[in-house]
Amino acid sequence: MPAIKIAGTFSDRALLNKQRKNAEKHWPSLNWEWILQRMIKRILKNTDRKCLYKFVYNMGVKGSLSFARYQKRLKNGDFFPAFHFISVTDDCNLNCQGCWVTHKKKNSRMSPETLNRIIEETKAKGSYFFGILGGEPLTYRPLFEVLKKHPDCYFQLFTNGTLLTPEVAEELRKLGNVTPLISFEGDEVVADIRRRGKDVFRRTVEAVENATNAGLITGVAMSVCKSNMDLALSADFINSLIQKNVAYLWYYIYRPVGADSTVELALEKHEIQKLRQFMVDARSQFDIAIIDAYWDQDGNGLCPAATGLSHHINASGFVEPCPVIQFAAENVEDKSLENIYKESVFLEALRNEIPKKTSGCVIMEDPKWLVEMTEKYNAKDSSGRENEAERLKAMPLVPSHGSGTPVPEKGWIYRFAKKRAFFGLGAYG
């Protein structure tokens, strides 16, 4: 647990800590509620006023209403995702293990007109949250120009951080409606190996400092694998993020995908169980929001794409179930999103059939079955490498978050948020 600063004499602090520990024996929820109060105070103190307002209203209020509209649409038989994840470019300044974008025949970049139209069509259905991915989205030059047109939306920017300079952070602060989610892949040694770059860990730390110094709602993401699990579950690491005023820490498990899938990094079943238990426990130990997108409030596995909560649009305009399932039958250049979701037999079939197979990740647990589904519904390889089916047929099976014993959420805030507002937001992985 991070150090706790309480005003008063040493004897006063000791007495208060003793009283709190005694209370926790009888009211276990007290600890996480107390931690939540500390977290809220810290965020309120260190966040730019405009950024805070946009986060509370655009993300919180409008996001919850968007999710309610999504649920209502489902009841009425009108499917349209609660939110979209959009890859705006395939370009990136790094070359990471397990990246689904690298080694394409030709990199794509979404036109600003197409990106703007996707946002407008989604807003027309009452949804205002978007995840912006790449490649590295900060290499996409029209990005800020497009985001500026939509002050009524909220954007989560998935970035490796190496291009998040103080100047970029200031631009994001002026927008107010963007939260950078900065990816950590390991310590000084592991990060360079995972990302095939130089001095990546230091540059990532600097990105976090640039973002928080600008008063941004800043998140850190970790794709937990064998080489970085010790860091991911390290109290020292989490406390270092809290000291830098990071608002949330987002965990997801490593998916062995792409041309360099590096399957040996995938977690084993007992390691996934350990990660899940750690996350639930950590929510009541650290004054930072601990986010995950792959388990529901009761600890059961969850696939956001299979539930239809989110779908992914890649830089070529193909509408995919999620970023790691790189097959598609429709493209946004051919028809509107509303018509795509009304007419897509492929997407509907996956939403219906994946839950029958697993509550985890089908690309990890049964990749050959996925290939059969793409062949049955004439879905094209949208990876840009033209060999995704062959890769999946040869891929060994690995455990996913659907395995293991359920670990329910302990705090009512997390249970409520996951049940009513989908706190995990459908993270990619």
Side-chain angles (χ1 to χ4, degrees), residues 232-267:
L233 276 56
S234 163
D236 288 342
F237 173 69
I238 298 175
N239 284 328
S240 73
L241 300 180
I242 293 170
Q243 291 167 5
K244 289 180 174 59
N245 292 315
V246 172
Y248 61 100
L249 174 57
W250 191 326
Y251 289 108
Y252 50 95
I253 64 173
Y254 176 79
R255 263 72 173 154
V257 296
D260 180 20
S261 57
T262 322
V263 178
E264 60 270 19
L265 290 178
L267 298 180

Side-chain angles (χ1 to χ4, degrees), residues 310-364:
S310 64
H311 282 320
H312 174 247
I313 304 170
N314 76 6
S316 301
F318 286 106
V319 182
E320 303 166 335
C322 71
V324 299
I325 298 181
Q326 296 184 294
F327 294 93
E330 289 85 16
N331 192 294
V332 296
E333 301 297 343
D334 301 325
K335 59 178 77 173
S336 69
L337 280 172
E338 184 167 16
N339 285 335
I340 285 175
Y341 291 125
K342 282 182 179 178
E343 301 169 8
S344 179
V345 180
F346 173 61
L347 292 174
E348 182 180 13
L350 289 185
R351 290 194 301 271
N352 291 335
E353 298 301 322
I354 289 178
K356 299 176 184 178
K357 297 285 295 183
T358 177
S359 62
C361 180
V362 72
I363 204 169
M364 300 171 75

